[in-house]
Amino acid sequence: MDGKGLTGLDERITGCRACPRLVAWREEVARTKRAAFADWTYWGRPVPGFGPPDARLLVVGLAPAAHGGNRTGRMFTGDRSGDVLFAALHAVGLASQPTSVSADDGLELYGVRVTAPVHCAPPGNKPTPRERDTCRPWLVQELRLLRPSLRSVVALGGFAWQSTLTALAEAGRPVPRPRPAFGHGARVPLDGLELFGCFHVSQRNTFTGLLTPRMLRDVLRTAADAAGLPTHPEPHPPGP
């Protein structure tokens, strides 16, 4: 697939100012910063997706974190959620390294792209329905551009699940009615594509054990296998 289309889309996303509340919030956070990142120049703009233009697997989150993607300019980079996600991708064999700290840290994804239904950091990590709907055309276009190669989508959480189903329908994919319900481990075959559900990699979920690293790896490995991507096998625990 010609990557210029996706590159152009990412460039247009970074210039979006469609949602006044989100614009004000992301820029305020970039000015005031967090003490631990006082020496950083925050990105403070919409955060585009990240990964190769011929990705066979798409991981969909919620929105950039105020001091994560909004600071670094790369999706899932610079916060605890990203630490969990990229460690799992690396363990499965889909990322070149287990950490993601800045946009120039050398991280590469193998056949995988990460994105979100909302590209600006929202207050309290909660975009409004109107902000979600305003941002949806970006995801629809991303899905259209990825269509020649895309075979699997992993939705991290119920917000991503519903947003992805709506965007897939608008992108021209047949979606079952009634809409399939979100659940961890859910697997829905679509037209030439499979959708997988996974609990979000939020600190609330990972700190409480609702989502464990192995649970995440299992979903990513299953989705990668469905997409025809090579993965590393799960290591066996040492014997007694």
Side-chain angles (χ1 to χ4, degrees):
M1 175 185 139
D2 182 357
K4 291 182 180 179
L6 200 54
T7 299
L9 175 68
D10 291 343
E11 290 175 354
R12 294 195 299 276
I13 287 172
T14 64
C16 183
R17 299 182 66 83
C19 300
R21 188 183 77 116
L22 298 187
V23 171
W25 172 251
R26 78 192 190 208
E27 294 179 355
E28 173 64 20
V29 169
R31 283 192 299 269
T32 58
K33 306 182 182 182
R34 178 176 282 174
F37 306 120
D39 59 341
W40 275 76
T41 299
Y42 275 50
W43 174 255
R45 289 185 281 166
V47 181
F50 168 61
D54 58 350
R56 299 180 67 86
L57 169 59
L58 183 66
V59 178
V60 183
L62 194 161
H67 301 282
N70 188 57
R71 170 172 59 91
T72 64
R74 193 169 72 191
M75 198 66 72
F76 278 111
T77 296
D79 60 30
R80 294 287 183 89
S81 295
D83 292 344
V84 173
L85 176 61
F86 289 114
L89 286 168
H90 179 260
V92 171
L94 299 175
S96 63
Q97 60 194 45
T99 58
S100 180
V101 296
S102 67
D104 59 356
D105 61 9
L107 174 67
E108 292 184 55
L109 299 182
Y110 304 136
V112 180
R113 182 173 169 89
V114 293
T115 192
V118 175
H119 287 276
C120 291
N125 292 322
K126 292 182 179 180
T128 66
R130 183 172 183 177
E131 290 162 351
R132 174 203 62 201
D133 294 347
T134 299
C135 209
R136 183 182 302 126
W138 298 124
L139 181 57
V140 172
Q141 292 180 58
E142 191 169 17
L143 289 167
R144 285 175 175 157
L145 289 167
L146 288 169
R147 182 161 188 151
S149 61
L150 191 64
R151 297 296 177 265
S152 294
V153 178
V154 173
L156 298 175
F159 185 95
W161 179 269
Q162 295 299 334
S163 297
T164 299
L165 284 170
T166 301
L168 283 168
E170 291 189 16
R173 296 267 190 180
V175 173
R177 289 187 177 275
R179 295 277 175 89
F182 170 75
H184 181 83
R187 181 172 184 171
V188 179
L190 302 172
D191 179 30
L193 184 75
E194 290 199 72
L195 175 63
F196 296 84
C198 180
F199 290 137
H200 194 278
V201 288
S202 66
Q203 291 186 56
R204 180 180 62 183
N205 289 344
T206 56
F207 284 3
T208 61
L210 182 66
L211 178 67
T212 66
R214 178 154 192 170
M215 290 167 64
L216 176 58
R217 293 194 303 270
D218 285 347
V219 172
L220 291 173
R221 186 176 289 105
T222 302
D225 289 347
L229 292 172
T231 59
H232 294 161
E234 186 74 21
H236 293 291

